[in-house]
Amino acid sequence: MGKSYKLGIIKGDGIGPEIVDEAINVLDAVATKFGFEISYEEFLLGGAAIDETGVPLPQETINGVKKVDAVLFGAIGGPKWDNLERHLRPESGLLALRKEMGTFANLRPAIVYDELINASTLKPDVVRGVDIMVVRELTGGIYFGQPREYAQDRAYNTMVYTREEIARIAKVAFDIAMKRDKRVCSVDKANVLEVSQLWREVVEEVAKDYPEVELSHMYVDNAAMQLIREPKQFDVIVTGNIFGDILSDAASMLSGSIGLLPSASTGSKVGLYEPIHGSAPDIAGQGIANPIATIASAAMLLRYELDETEAADAIDNAIKKVLADGYRTGDIAAFDAKEVVSCTEMGNIIANYISKS
Ligand code: NAD
């Protein structure tokens, strides 16, 4: 018998339950195929938690997610809860959960699928084959640095990183590069900022433990330009909080179809894997949501949290095949659809490809 894993499942609100159900469908298919077991435990978060318990992040969820191997999450939020006080709103629950889980690394892949190349606003030749992983430091840098102050005529923030914070995010990036094309580009502003000088020094030190990985450095202004000019040059990009915030959004738009992109907040014992889109209340309950971003998040979970590389590859290949065969949910129907399918059908087709491959 193979290994057995326990996953925390947070379906959330809006299309969350529909898309997460299809990711579970696909996870079950790879577990059967590759001979491991997955059990699931559901937790409440966001609007669903408010309706049931009165708060967006119940204590049972905080306790529960610390006892599983990884968490797969759909999305939260919706107009029903928009008028609540800020600390009681669904989004506060998600921010608090990430903090509780201590996830300091945000992984944001930008993948351009050949079949959806026309969804990009850039020329096909520029984006064909793009497969970038942006590793963003999530809990340090200028968003959290002290001192900070807003005053009438003067306001300031502090960009601060410690050696330890830089080393641990660099290590995440190098570990990921080892599972990819073994290239890391560290992005900073070392020509102007002392904090970036330290960043560069520490990344160089960490690189010594990964002789197989090629390390390069790039200033953030140039990186922004290069992402648009020649995005294929990048494999893994590692950078601080504010630079990563901006670059990961720019990178995700290379694909033009954000409904397909997964993400992860990780680095601590348990990682949180989720699509980059929201709960899409406008289409919730209609069975037309695209589950691919959530299914791709499940593949990331297998690859980066559970080390089940073959299973992760099988999911990624099945997603490529489903797109190559012309199956599209409504949101991407404009791009060479041969057949428009529902959320459940898309999940079933991907699961069947895996079982039969
Ligand atoms: P959204 O991503 O939910 O939706 C934007 C548009 O994209 C909508 O037209 C929606 O129908 C479409 N869309 C999104 N995902 C889709 C999918 N999988 N398949 C097909 N179409 C899809 O963003 P929004 O409308 O700005 O936010 C809606 C709610 O989601 C808000 O309450 C917001 O706070 C919340 N939200 C949650 C998260 C999260 O849970 N991580 C992230 C962003 C927004």
Side-chain angles (χ1 to χ4, degrees):
M1 192 59 228
K3 291 182 178 167
S4 72
Y5 304 107
K6 184 163 183 189
L7 298 189
I9 296 291
I10 298 176
K11 294 186 176 178
D13 310 317
I15 60 170
E18 305 163 45
I19 54 180
V20 172
D21 281 347
E22 293 321 311
I24 292 175
N25 183 2
V26 170
L27 279 168
D28 286 341
V30 282
T32 306
K33 182 160 180 88
F34 294 98
F36 54 87
E37 265 180 33
I38 306 180
S39 61
Y40 306 96
E41 186 171 353
E42 261 191 64
F43 301 108
L44 289 171
L45 181 74
I50 295 169
D51 288 352
E52 192 116 334
T53 69
V55 291
L57 176 59
Q59 192 61 43
E60 298 87 76
T61 301
I62 298 174
N63 299 343
V65 296
K66 290 178 181 161
K67 294 184 194 141
V68 293
D69 293 309
V71 179
L72 183 68
F73 165 52
I76 44 100
K80 184 176 173 191
W81 306 280
D82 275 352
N83 294 325
L84 294 172
E85 275 178 66
R86 179 177 286 272
H87 72 284
L88 285 175
R89 288 176 51 164
E91 293 78 2
S92 319
L94 178 56
L95 293 180
L97 179 69
R98 288 195 182 123
K99 199 166 174 203
E100 283 286 342
M101 292 175 76
T103 51
F104 62 84
N106 187 223
L107 317 185
R108 287 269 298 261
I111 307 155
V112 176
Y113 294 102
D114 263 6
E115 294 71 24
L116 300 180
I117 204 142
N118 292 324
S120 178
T121 51
L122 297 188
K123 287 182 186 150
D125 281 353
V126 176
V127 290
R128 185 172 287 112
V130 160
D131 182 357
I132 302 170
M133 176 71 82
V134 180
V135 178
R136 167 189 169 195
E137 201 289 327
L138 204 55
T139 55
I142 195 162
Y143 292 163
F144 294 93
Q146 295 289 345
R148 58 194 296 160
E149 191 180 353
Y150 172 84
Q152 191 71 27
D153 298 314
R154 188 168 176 268
Y156 57 87
N157 293 86
T158 303
M159 192 189 251
V160 55
Y161 270 116
T162 63
R163 216 166 248 287
E164 190 199 343
E165 283 173 323
I166 303 166
R168 67 181 187 177
I169 191 76
K171 205 170 156 342
V172 169
F174 281 100
D175 283 338
I176 285 173
M178 287 298 289
K179 295 181 180 183
R180 295 174 47 103
D181 200 33
K182 299 193 171 71
R183 291 182 292 124
V184 169
C185 178
S186 171
V187 172
D188 61 36
K189 191 71 182 169
N191 50 344
V192 180
L193 302 174
E194 284 77 4
V195 62
S196 283
Q197 287 167 14
L198 181 67
W199 179 279
R200 213 172 254 227
E201 193 183 307
V202 176
V203 171
E204 293 272 356
E205 273 166 26
V206 173
K208 289 182 189 147
D209 294 332
Y210 298 84
E212 285 175 60
V213 178
E214 179 192 312
L215 170 67
S216 59
H217 300 277
M218 198 178 273
Y219 298 136
V220 63
D221 41 348
N222 187 25
M225 196 172 77
Q226 295 297 334
L227 264 179
I228 312 298
R229 196 184 72 87
E230 201 199 332
K232 274 175 274 191
Q233 69 185 285
F234 296 108
D235 176 28
V236 175
I237 292 176
V238 62
T239 190
N241 205 341
I242 188 168
F243 299 156
D245 191 2
I246 299 161
L247 292 182
S248 62
D249 264 24
S252 65
M253 278 317 293
L254 296 170
S255 79
S257 48
I258 58 164
L260 272 66
L261 294 178
S263 77
S265 311
T266 181
S268 61
K269 196 176 148 281
V270 180
L272 183 68
Y273 292 77
E274 58 182 298
I276 70 168
H277 60 71
S279 60
D282 52 333
I283 58 163
Q286 298 176 29
I288 58 172
N290 188 345
I292 290 182
T294 316
I295 293 170
S297 303
M300 277 184 84
L301 184 158
L302 291 166
R303 188 181 307 282
Y304 296 117
E305 201 88 10
L306 307 183
D307 252 327
E308 293 286 354
T309 312
E310 268 187 312
D313 286 345
I315 295 180
D316 287 343
N317 289 336
I319 292 173
K320 283 184 192 138
K321 183 162 165 49
V322 92
L323 295 173
D325 288 352
Y327 294 106
R328 305 278 187 270
T329 42
D331 55 314
I332 48 170
F335 307 105
D336 303 319
K338 291 205 185 82
E339 191 178 336
V340 177
V341 296
S342 69
C343 181
T344 312
E345 283 166 336
M346 183 58 98
N348 285 339
I349 296 167
I350 293 174
N352 281 339
Y353 277 157
I354 290 165
S355 307
K356 291 188 184 133
S357 64

